[in-house]
Amino acid sequence: MAEQLIELNVTGMHCNNCALSVHKLLEKRGLHNILVDFASEEVKFSNDNEADLPGIIKDIEGLGYKVVDDPALQITPFYEKVENKFLFCAILTAPLLLHMILPWHFLHLPLVQMLLCLPVFIVGCLHFGKSAINSIKGGVPNMDVLIFVGSSAAFIYSLIGTIENLGEQYQFYETCATIITLVLLGNVFEKRSVTQTTSAVKDLVKIQQVNANRVVNGGIEVISARDVRPGDTLLVNQGDKIPVDGEVLSGNASVDEAMLTGESIPVEKEKYDKVIGGTIVQNGNIRMIATKVGSNTVLAQIIELMKKAQAAKPPVQKLGDKVAAVFVPAVILISLITFIITFFAVHTSLQVALMNAIAVLVISCPCAMGLATPTAVMVGLGRAAKNGILIKGGDTIEAVSNTKFVVFDKTGTITTGKFRIYDIKTEGEASIEQIRGVIVAIEERSNHPIAKSLVNELLPFQQTKLILKSAKEEKGLGMRAEDVDGNHYFLGSGKAKDDSDFNLSLYKNQKLIAQIAIDDEIRPEAITLIKQLKKMNIVPVLLSGDKMNRCLKVARQIGIDDVHGEKLPDEKLQVIDIYKQKGKTIMIGDGINDAPALTKADVGVSMNDASQVAMQSARVILLNTDLQSVIKFLQISRHTLITIKQNLFWAFAYNIIAIPVAALGFLNPMVGAFTMAFSDVVVIGNSLRLKRKKID
């Protein structure tokens, strides 16, 4: 039976350890291609037996998480919302803390303190206890184990003191309640911040959720974009979003495609033009035929790419995962050792030994380590997407960090792919006007991009036109034609010996009558881009299948010193290989012939107007055809990696300092809980800074 890719929406995961316990459970069940992303609440895996699915869902829910159909439609009961749990606990914890300041005698009574603490402890047991026990069952103890053990120890110790009437030094109800309340506060911040970091994908999903006006028997019916089928005729009016990908049947419109390309100027659309779902009609209205719907639309593919990108872990994160997996058992061990040494070796009182042990449990925070990478990667990917740069994988960001070489294809990448005539040299009696007429007449019959460019350029100057009887294209050579008077023409490549700039020749009855110098236009931003790359100590390289002298001419104009011309696709691979041995190499290309080299490079970058094959081979797609996106991509990647390193430094440093301080008894468990909650907030806050940070 064929394997199916199953996608589940799982709510209730709030840190990396949660994701790890789900991952381990699915591994134990022998499933493949497992991806668990706690931030976007998605679990994916390949399953070859559909009958197993209810059992898998039951096991995931057995860990304390919930499998839902659509998180957007999921209504969380009032008492399950983490914000409401925090408010409830805060109201009861406040008087417990105030008894230290206020002179009200009744607040000091052990029974009153126990009655105030008990509801908070029950909420804590339900919130952290369930998750802690399930994570131990799953074989990956999570951070809730530490909170649960710490708060339970404080509560049970105080309860024994109250029952035995052992006096004030046994009252630690406020410690128990404060730990639970502060960690819940941390969870509230964390939930809000994670929602912000995953906003890029959610914004894109919202764009998909629109209605469409379907034309049926002359009338209009309003349906959801999800119900549009290929071949449907749709009416899109001014101000509407185009519901799916398609082609214009009639009408004219200015369409804002900034969402995809980052290009602020609206694009004019008329009959036969392609339109993309999610873009907005700013002016005019059109009738269109739906060609791609559902998961085949450009927008759906972008969303899929973004989700895959968030799930692909950079090597830096794998390190964080490994540490987080062994972290909780290690902390419990340190806590036990702290208790044993303080009580038996140093001979302090039971309460001091217990408080030190609890402080160790509460201060440690594997969550900050687990959040360090995914939050930064998500914000980085989101910022790149808003700039029209699609990155297929968080690991791509790391691969780009120390780039040494950027290798460019020439045609369609450094140049626009549109050709211009620079010079026409006549041979014999024919005038320039006659030559132009012959070129237009012949090239009008060709579909070649060069032919189209020449016709567009010469049509405005055309005064005479030749009437042809026949014309046919000879692959790789040019066009042969015959006019009504029986003259034979050939227009194609073939240089005159004396001047290499003339790269097209026109023959009439096998006699040379003109030479034409054509070349494709260099993108206006190419020179600036090359200068910026050199400033960043990155070596630009030109690699093309085009003639060497033309490659050198382009390279001279834009300032590239390393040039490789006349290379076939397999030779391009060899060149990329040589550069890869010297350092990290990015390849930027757009044609089918670039696909192998794009795959071979450390990171392949493809232009949006590239061939489908090139786009599939690349790990980065520039939706905006402006080459400046390359610099933006390098800058965003660099700053995302800086943010990850800052986050990991903070998370490790915090734990390295905090645990010994707590073990030595210099830290009260309440202060521990407070700083632990805020270590998460610092890490997430640092990641969110990337949204608006100057990255020039």
Side-chain angles (χ1 to χ4, degrees), residues 142-164:
N142 65 13
M143 117 148 224
D144 292 344
V145 174
L146 306 178
I147 307 305
F148 179 60
V149 172
S151 55
S152 299
F155 184 79
I156 293 161
Y157 181 78
S158 306
L159 189 64
I160 292 166
T162 304
I163 294 165
E164 303 272 329

Side-chain angles (χ1 to χ4, degrees), residues 327 331 363-366 368-369 650-660:
F327 191 83
V331 167
I363 190 77
S364 53
C365 182
M369 276 183 259
W650 167 250
F652 281 118
Y654 165 82
N655 282 295
I656 288 163
I657 295 164
I659 292 173

Side-chain angles (χ1 to χ4, degrees), residues 169-360:
Q169 68 269 37
Y170 276 82
Q171 304 305 310
F172 286 102
Y173 289 116
E174 77 281 353
T175 302
C176 168
T178 311
I179 288 170
I180 289 166
T181 306
L182 286 174
V183 177
L184 282 171
L185 173 65
N187 284 1
V188 170
F189 282 137
E190 201 175 292
K191 185 183 160 192
R192 291 196 175 169
S193 305
V194 168
T195 308
Q196 275 185 283
T197 63
T198 55
S199 62
V201 171
K202 285 177 180 158
D203 290 348
L204 288 174
V205 173
K206 269 186 212 149
I207 293 171
Q208 279 185 311
Q209 295 159 352
V210 291
N211 287 334
N213 303 320
R214 182 161 61 187
V215 180
V216 183
N217 303 326
I220 299 286
E221 65 167 346
V222 179
I223 57 167
S224 164
R226 277 189 294 224
D227 300 327
V228 175
R229 294 285 160 264
D232 283 353
T233 303
L234 309 172
L235 178 68
V236 189
N237 297 316
Q238 191 166 321
D240 287 354
K241 268 186 193 152
I242 293 169
V244 293
D245 295 3
E247 287 181 17
V248 179
L249 291 173
S250 62
N252 294 293
S254 309
V255 179
D256 177 5
E257 294 187 342
M259 161 208 101
L260 281 176
T261 60
E263 183 55 64
S264 51
I265 301 162
V267 183
E268 297 302 320
K269 299 284 180 185
E270 52 189 35
K271 194 173 181 178
Y272 304 129
D273 283 343
K274 285 186 167 62
V275 285
I276 300 167
T279 55
I280 299 164
V281 174
Q282 282 197 338
N283 233 317
N285 49 47
I286 50 169
R287 267 179 192 239
M288 60 174 279
I289 185 166
T291 55
K292 290 181 184 170
V293 300
S295 60
N296 295 321
T297 63
V298 171
L299 186 59
Q301 285 170 351
I302 289 173
I303 292 168
E304 202 42 47
L305 274 181
M306 290 280 292
K307 284 179 178 175
K308 274 188 189 152
Q310 288 182 357
K313 292 179 179 178
V316 166
Q317 184 175 350
K318 288 172 187 158
L319 165 74
D321 286 357
K322 281 175 191 162
V323 173
V326 295
F327 191 83
V328 177
V331 167
I332 291 171
L333 191 67
I334 293 168
S335 175
L336 280 171
I337 293 167
T338 301
F339 179 78
I340 292 162
I341 291 172
T342 326
F343 188 63
F344 294 104
V346 186
H347 302 297
T348 57
S349 64
L350 178 65
Q351 72 183 81
V352 171
L354 190 69
M355 283 301 108
N356 290 2
I358 291 173
V360 170

Side-chain angles (χ1 to χ4, degrees), residues 439 442-443 450 454 473-474 476-481 489-496 502-507 512 514-518:
I439 294 170
I442 295 173
E443 296 289 48
I450 294 181
L454 298 189
E473 198 162 341
E474 287 191 6
L477 289 171
M479 295 283 292
R480 291 199 184 277
Y489 295 90
F490 172 74
L491 174 62
S493 54
K495 291 190 202 116
F502 290 99
N503 39 18
L504 280 184
S505 302
L506 177 62
Y507 292 86
L512 182 70
Q515 290 182 64
I516 303 126
I518 65 161

